[in-house]
Amino acid sequence: MMKGKALRLAIFAGLLGSTASVLSTHAMTETESVTVLNPVVVTAQRFETKDLNTPAAVTVLDQADLKNSGAKSIFDAVGQSTGITTFSYGPFGLEYGAMDSRVNIRGLERSALVLVNGAPINLDGKNSLNGLMMDNVDRIEIVRGAGSAQYGSEALGGVVNVITKSPTKAHATIETRIGNEGYKKYAATVGTDTIEISTSKEYYGAQERTSPDRSDRYYYNMRDKGYAHNVAVNIKPHDYVRVNYMRQQSDSTYGQMSTLTEAIIKNNKKFKGKDPLKESKQYHYRDIKNNASIIYDDATTRAMVFFNNRKLVGESRDLKTLTFNQNDSNYAAYKVGAEAQHTWKLHKGKDTAVLGFMGAHESYEGISVKNSVVRAHRNVAAVYGSYEFQVTPMFSTTIGGRYQVIDDPAKDQHVFTPQWQTMYKLDDSRSIYTNIGKAFTMPNLHDVYRWATDPKKKMEPQYVKLSGDNLKPEEGWNYEVGYKQVNAKDSWRVSVYHMKFKNFFDWAPNPVDGRNTLRINGGKFLNTGVEVEYKSHITDDLMMTIGGSYSNPRKQPTKSTVWEQSAPKVELNLALDYEKDKWQAGMVASWWGKRLLNRDGQYNPDYINVNAHVNYSPNDSQTIGFYVNNLLNRHNVITHGAYEYWDSPRNYYVNYSYHF
């Protein structure tokens, strides 16, 4: 095992070294450097700044980055970024019904607040990127570090802002993909200078196994074929106004296939009388997600109204009776809100002030017979602001904060989250920053209702309202210092951080039946780490990005003095992008090391994933491409600790697009 790991590391290191060794003395133009190596960022400060002048750790994925990633989904593309370790129950972020895939920043579980054009789309504590149409994305901005001073609850580790395309000119595109593993995609886009409409239907095939045998419960997981249908509409009725809408309807089927044998049933009291066919179950889900916003933005005043919702309907059956029954956990959730902010340039443009207000209503409702009593709602009102002082021509400092009043079904909250940042320009190409901020997150709405059984058996099992006394938000601080350098042909970004959080949500025995279903505050979380990213135009035709992080994410469970590892400690990413004449090719490699123990007492294997592709454009209208994902055909474990879930084996597809 050690020899195999050493060989893999040697290959990875050799690949990085051989790539770096071909660096040339070619210098990029200033325009190319600004747009690629020093992009404009709007998410971190809530107004436009160049990355070099932004006092936060930022990654911007533009359309070229997304294409070069070879990713089939936004989830996969974000997961290739430095400091991100995604958690998924299926390939390219597929979810297992209500068990959502999620984005974890800096080793912190469910730590990312996901925005679409600046509007929050997290629902019931889940930050799923499914339902967002990759073909409709202009760029993605990832800001690492506590983000609650700017964006409120759930931005514990940072913010992922998905910014959609804006109509530009009359055009049309058709695209088709056909691959192995049952994968197909058909897509079309048509637009003018005021409206653009995109639609796609994506199919994926069955996967015989998505997990090993569950040794304690005698089953393994599988996935049947499914599809996702997406629609996106972008309207630009005025230079300052944008209307955006995205919808996804997906259909998926999963299974838990029993591995019980006659010997196990005979010798284990727990399974006596069980029928393996009846223990084998299938779960079918139809998932509908919508998000929409109307945005006014004239560079100084920005206002929006936003809406997003999800309706998850599932049913299950065993393989003996083959009769589908309604899932108890079916639900509908939505969030609606409005926000307005204004930006002032003061003292001849040296200082910048931001003041904003936000109000939102969030709802969760059970829509099955058994959970129909579950009705939870939350109202939020917030005021936020920041002031950037230009102390000297080379030094600035920003003080900001957000005050939120939260009407919550468990316990009302008044939360203030401050932030303090500094930026020192060493010269026109180098800067040092510090970023100290507090962040928090509220409990999931549905956590106040739990399934309970009457110990005296006088009533049927049912959902009851349960919440711990004095339930507080999870909260804590992020401390960070960073260095940025942008030259004509390359750039460096280095950040060192320390995270300290408390009041993590846990479970305790409830007074109804004594089961651990009462939501309480409990554990703690610590992480100290370093992130490094290097981007270089090696030649006119070849660009390279290398990123890596090393950290020590730890959690301390409730009533415990022992600290446990909570996420992978090591992460490396490599991306190569080659473009010349009619050809474009790319490769992205990711490695997560020093992983967690799973429930079977074994360490999750190193995650090593390589995607590669090549595109040929015979003319301006057509592009033919060949894409390969999981090139090394590894049994990659795409969860952390606990039960294993696997990525797809090696898969590939041919892509053809025609642009009118």
Side-chain angles (χ1 to χ4, degrees):
M1 291 292 291
M2 291 301 293
K3 288 183 179 180
K5 179 181 279 190
L7 178 60
R8 291 194 298 269
L9 293 178
I11 293 173
F12 201 91
L15 184 60
L16 298 186
S18 62
T19 304
S21 68
V22 300
L23 288 173
S24 73
T25 58
H26 170 76
M28 297 297 297
T29 67
E30 286 299 318
T31 301
E32 291 170 319
S33 176
V34 167
T35 57
V36 178
L37 300 176
N38 189 23
V40 172
V41 180
V42 298
T43 307
Q45 303 295 91
R46 282 190 168 269
F47 56 88
E48 287 190 358
T49 59
K50 297 290 181 59
D51 185 16
L52 185 64
N53 302 328
T54 302
V58 178
T59 296
V60 178
L61 305 176
D62 59 20
Q63 292 182 42
D65 295 320
L66 295 173
K67 179 179 71 173
N68 185 54
S69 71
K72 292 179 180 176
S73 67
I74 296 175
F75 179 88
D76 275 354
V78 170
Q80 296 167 1
S81 303
T82 303
I84 309 293
T85 51
T86 53
F87 183 110
S88 179
Y89 293 98
F92 47 94
L94 286 176
E95 296 163 345
Y96 199 140
M99 295 162 49
D100 283 22
S101 299
R102 46 196 179 265
V103 175
N104 301 333
I105 299 179
R106 292 177 171 174
L108 188 56
E109 179 82 356
R110 299 186 186 275
S111 57
L113 174 64
V114 176
L115 313 173
V116 173
N117 299 318
I121 68 165
N122 289 28
L123 281 175
D124 196 38
K126 300 173 182 179
N127 62 19
S128 172
L129 286 165
N130 274 328
L132 304 182
M133 189 174 181
M134 194 164 180
D135 299 341
N136 188 44
V137 175
D138 179 64
R139 69 185 189 278
I140 301 172
E141 296 184 0
I142 303 169
V143 182
R144 299 181 291 281
S148 289
Q150 300 286 355
Y151 294 100
S153 179
E154 299 182 82
L156 290 179
V159 175
V160 177
N161 191 8
V162 179
I163 300 169
T164 60
K165 294 178 181 177
S166 180
T168 55
K169 60 182 179 180
H171 69 283
T173 301
I174 56 172
E175 179 184 15
T176 184
R177 297 177 179 178
I178 300 178
N180 69 336
E181 301 289 334
Y183 180 72
K184 294 181 292 184
K185 179 181 178 181
Y186 306 100
T189 297
V190 60
T192 69
D193 59 350
T194 58
I195 185 171
E196 181 174 283
I197 302 173
S198 300
T199 184
S200 70
K201 195 158 188 179
E202 201 164 14
Y203 300 86
Y204 52 87
Q207 190 170 340
E208 184 179 354
R209 273 182 176 264
T210 60
S211 79
D213 289 352
R214 307 303 192 194
S215 59
D216 58 341
R217 299 188 183 183
Y218 296 98
Y219 71 84
Y220 65 87
N221 294 91
M222 57 81 67
R223 188 189 77 241
D224 207 344
K225 60 185 179 181
Y227 72 85
H229 184 199
N230 292 277
V231 176
V233 180
N234 301 317
I235 305 173
K236 189 178 179 182
H238 187 275
D239 286 346
Y240 299 151
V241 179
R242 289 181 56 187
V243 180
N244 305 285
Y245 170 72
M246 281 194 284
R247 174 184 174 89
Q248 182 188 79
Q249 178 174 307
S250 62
D251 192 284
S252 58
T253 302
Y254 299 88
Q256 292 181 344
M257 312 309 294
S258 175
T259 58
L260 287 173
T261 63
E262 289 185 10
I264 295 172
I265 294 171
K266 181 179 180 180
N267 297 319
N268 192 322
K269 293 181 180 179
K270 178 181 177 181
F271 298 105
K272 279 192 174 180
K274 298 289 185 181
D275 184 335
L277 266 182
K278 201 164 185 179
E279 295 303 306
S280 292
K281 299 181 183 298
Q282 286 183 332
Y283 300 88
H284 172 254
Y285 297 95
R286 175 156 293 190
D287 198 357
I288 299 174
K289 299 178 181 179
N290 297 275
N291 75 79
S293 61
I294 302 174
I295 301 170
Y296 173 88
D297 190 350
D298 65 6
T300 58
T301 299
R302 178 178 170 87
M304 71 167 72
V305 292
F306 58 86
F307 171 81
N308 61 89
N309 76 338
R310 180 182 186 183
K311 184 178 182 181
L312 181 68
V313 178
E315 54 189 1
S316 62
R317 67 178 182 177
D318 62 68
L319 297 190
K320 186 170 185 176
T321 63
L322 297 179
T323 300
F324 275 109
N325 298 298
Q326 187 182 57
N327 286 359
D328 296 343
S329 58
N330 293 345
Y331 74 90
Y334 72 86
K335 181 183 292 182
V336 60
E339 182 172 351
Q341 73 168 59
H342 189 77
T343 303
W344 292 268
K345 288 293 184 179
L346 306 172
H347 301 117
K348 299 181 179 180
K350 293 181 179 179
D351 298 347
T352 304
V354 175
L355 179 64
F357 303 88
M358 189 272 282
H361 173 76
E362 187 174 357
S363 173
Y364 179 101
E365 297 185 359
I367 56 175
S368 295
V369 172
K370 289 187 177 180
N371 73 347
S372 59
V373 300
V374 179
R375 295 286 188 274
H377 308 277
R378 178 180 291 152
N379 296 307
V380 178
V383 57
Y384 60 88
S386 65
Y387 195 100
E388 182 187 65
F389 300 86
Q390 192 70 44
V391 183
T392 72
M394 306 302 287
F395 177 73
S396 64
T397 184
T398 303
I399 298 174
R402 186 184 188 100
Y403 180 72
Q404 292 201 178
V405 178
I406 303 168
D407 174 21
D408 188 75
K411 181 177 175 59
D412 294 347
Q413 301 289 340
H414 294 249
V415 184
F416 176 66
T417 48
Q419 187 173 41
W420 177 43
Q421 301 165 301
T422 67
M423 169 64 67
Y424 183 73
K425 296 288 294 292
L426 298 172
D427 52 39
D428 290 340
S429 64
R430 298 177 300 156
S431 62
I432 297 174
Y433 72 87
T434 63
N435 185 8
I436 300 172
K438 187 178 182 182
F440 78 103
T441 190
M442 296 292 294
N444 296 344
L445 275 175
H446 81 276
D447 280 345
V448 298
Y449 288 89
R450 308 307 303 179
W451 185 252
T453 304
D454 181 5
K456 297 182 180 180
K457 299 183 179 180
K458 292 183 177 180
M459 59 185 349
E460 291 292 325
Q462 60 183 310
Y463 278 90
V464 296
K465 191 170 183 178
L466 293 167
S467 59
D469 294 335
N470 198 30
L471 190 63
K472 304 173 183 176
E474 296 176 342
E475 61 179 14
W477 290 82
N478 180 89
Y479 309 88
E480 182 176 336
V481 59
Y483 170 81
K484 299 182 181 184
Q485 178 175 324
V486 178
N487 302 314
K489 67 171 184 177
D490 60 14
S491 65
W492 284 94
R493 290 167 181 83
V494 181
S495 57
V496 180
Y497 62 86
H498 175 68
M499 305 166 69
K500 186 176 182 180
F501 289 86
K502 64 179 181 179
N503 297 335
F504 269 59
F505 302 130
D506 207 341
W507 302 106
N510 73 67
V512 178
D513 59 10
R515 298 169 61 201
N516 283 331
T517 56
L518 181 67
R519 207 48 151 160
I520 62 169
N521 292 117
K524 301 176 182 177
F525 174 86
L526 290 174
N527 192 12
T528 302
V530 58
E531 298 166 344
V532 180
E533 186 176 271
Y534 175 71
K535 183 174 286 190
S536 174
H537 285 277
I538 298 173
T539 68
D540 284 338
D541 312 316
L542 181 64
M543 186 168 186
M544 174 185 69
T545 303
I546 301 175
S549 70
Y550 184 86
S551 62
N552 185 27
R554 296 173 292 156
K555 64 180 180 182
Q556 186 182 49
T558 306
K559 298 180 181 179
S560 174
T561 59
V562 179
W563 288 89
E564 303 172 356
Q565 182 181 341
S566 61
K569 292 185 175 182
V570 181
E571 175 200 351
L572 284 176
N573 299 298
L574 166 69
L576 297 171
D577 181 20
Y578 176 82
E579 293 190 52
K580 187 175 180 63
D581 299 328
K582 299 180 179 181
W583 293 91
Q584 188 272 332
M587 184 197 75
V588 176
S590 299
W591 170 53
W592 303 339
K594 292 187 176 292
R595 302 192 70 188
L596 283 66
L597 284 168
N598 60 32
R599 292 190 182 183
D600 296 327
Q602 304 294 320
Y603 281 99
N604 291 144
D606 287 359
Y607 172 92
I608 300 176
N609 187 61
V610 180
N611 296 342
H613 72 274
V614 59
N615 286 319
Y616 174 70
S617 300
N619 51 52
D620 292 340
S621 299
Q622 300 181 78
T623 299
I624 304 168
F626 181 67
Y627 289 72
V628 182
N629 296 303
N630 193 7
L631 185 64
L632 303 182
N633 199 30
R634 289 179 54 84
H635 256 317
N636 275 326
V637 176
I638 49 180
T639 49
H640 308 305
Y643 285 147
E644 292 183 16
Y645 283 84
W646 294 337
D647 200 356
S648 283
R650 182 188 299 120
N651 56 97
Y652 55 84
Y653 64 88
V654 176
N655 183 88
Y656 174 78
S657 63
Y658 191 93
H659 184 74
F660 298 90

